[in-house]
Amino acid sequence: MNNDVNISKSAVNFTALSSISALRSDQSDNAIVVHVFFSQDKNPEDLDEFQQLAQSANVNILQVITAARSTPQAKYFVGQGKAEEIAQAVETHNADVVLVNHSLTPAQARNLESLCQCRVVDRTGLILDIFAQRARSHEGKLQVELAQLKHLTTRLVRRKTGLDQQKGAVGLRGPGETQLETDRRLIKVRIAQLQNRLAKVEKQRNQNRQTRQKADIPTISLVGYTNAGKSTLFNRITQANVYAADQLFATLDPTLRRLQIQDVGTTILADTVGFIRDLPHDLVSAFKSTLQETTEAGLLLHIIDAADPRKLENIAAVNAVLEEIKAADLPTLLVYNKIDTLENLEPHIEYDDQHIPVAVYLSAISAEGIDLLFAAIREKLKNEILHLQLNLSPNEGKIRHQLYLLDCIRREEISDQGEFLLEIQIDKIQWLKLAKKFPQLEKCGKNL
């Protein structure tokens, strides 16, 4: 137990020495923001979003420095002259940190730190820091620490005084282990511990999910770009008290609430972490168990800020993450939120050619259109009922058992060859989930 505590303390110390040094929530850091335009069209909205990220991390922005390049420079990411301009700005304003709105290599971060004589944090490091500040649950803290340590392993550096090899007394002298090697080994041990703990959490989540599936309780998962209004809508629908604010990544920990919907019955509504462009891959992998709620959902509500001029790009960014976690093919209902900030836009439902709801326009803050959202959810979850005939071989009893658990078998016969001839009536969403779990079902089923 003591060893575990020591390793945990070491890992925290490593983070403090790394380029993603914690931007503490109890005090405001003074920062110089750096952004590079790589195209002819200088789009300021990426820079605006990064400044919002900095403000979410409780950072006081002293100066914004921009540059235009065709490709990143190998040593400083920016050119030599621009790097010296950044260093001069740090000295002039007595800044604590330089925030760079791009992903830096470990070498680029170290070179800038040496030149500026202060911490340098890139976009990934800033997002990780915000997550570290917002994590409240035990699981969330474990996930953030795991993501930080994975990010840190390639960026671990020590001062020259810490690179000396350890030396023992008489009879114990030898090449020893450098302090850097010791740090890397302890981080590796800590990562293994975190992964083991998160595996236990994931196992518990799977058990809860299986219980809901056996009880035929569908899950509705809220997804969307950060600050699109997911938590506000979640509170409006469930009367929950989840923290919501007009800032990026206001909420981090997943929240589940039971919800009763007419003609559908009991459902589970899940509020998940918001997505963002260039979401660190380490975060996606660390939040695997949390995002599993999304991959197993019966319906995704994709919340979109209708007033955001970059809403199409935000939709593409969310879809990219859904693709990465293998949830892109799930039934989805687009929810355009914040229509109260737009003129001449009334709450309404958009339908496709088959008269199936594809989008709802509403305002979570004023409750306009919430009744339309429930109507669209009813239409999506009722879905079409499939009537199928299955021929299962004798060694496919596991599939037959699953069908009985779902209570969807309406008639059964056994052929002379011992095959199970089944007539089933099943919800289309449930059928797609089964077909994903048992690919052979796509070949052995036919419509009645």
Side-chain angles (χ1 to χ4, degrees), residues 67-88:
R69 292 186 63 86
S70 55
T71 57
Q73 197 243 32
K75 186 175 182 180
Y76 294 118
F77 191 84
V78 295
Q80 177 77 33
K82 188 61 67 172
E84 291 173 357
E85 180 185 337
I86 296 168
Q88 183 61 48

Side-chain angles (χ1 to χ4, degrees), residues 218-355:
T219 299
I220 303 171
S221 184
L222 300 180
V223 299
Y225 205 76
T226 181
N227 203 30
K230 294 185 301 303
S231 296
T232 303
L233 182 62
F234 184 86
N235 289 338
R236 175 68 66 183
I237 293 176
T238 64
Q239 307 302 315
N241 193 27
V242 173
Y243 176 70
D246 185 17
Q247 58 183 194
L248 303 184
F249 300 117
T251 51
L252 173 61
D253 297 312
T255 309
L256 279 72
R257 290 290 186 275
R258 190 177 292 264
L259 188 67
Q260 294 292 332
I261 299 180
Q262 183 183 351
D263 298 332
V264 176
T266 301
T267 60
I268 297 294
L269 188 66
D271 184 18
T272 59
V273 63
F275 302 149
I276 196 169
R277 272 180 288 276
D278 304 319
L279 188 67
H281 183 75
D282 287 336
L283 269 181
V284 176
S285 60
F287 278 72
K288 181 181 175 184
S289 62
T290 301
L291 295 173
Q292 193 72 18
E293 293 292 347
T294 299
T295 62
E296 298 292 336
L299 176 65
L300 298 183
L301 297 185
H302 183 166
I303 316 302
I304 302 158
D305 183 351
D308 193 328
R310 304 184 71 188
K311 56 179 175 288
L312 294 179
E313 294 177 43
N314 296 348
I315 291 171
V318 172
N319 289 339
V321 178
L322 292 176
E323 188 77 39
E324 186 172 351
I325 64 175
K326 296 181 172 56
D329 296 330
L330 294 177
T332 302
L333 179 66
L334 301 179
V335 180
Y336 287 89
N337 188 25
K338 304 185 183 181
I339 64 168
D340 55 298
T341 61
L342 298 172
E343 295 182 1
N344 304 321
L345 185 57
E346 296 295 323
H348 66 280
I349 301 176
E350 279 186 3
Y351 295 90
D352 63 11
D353 295 338
Q354 286 76 40
H355 203 67

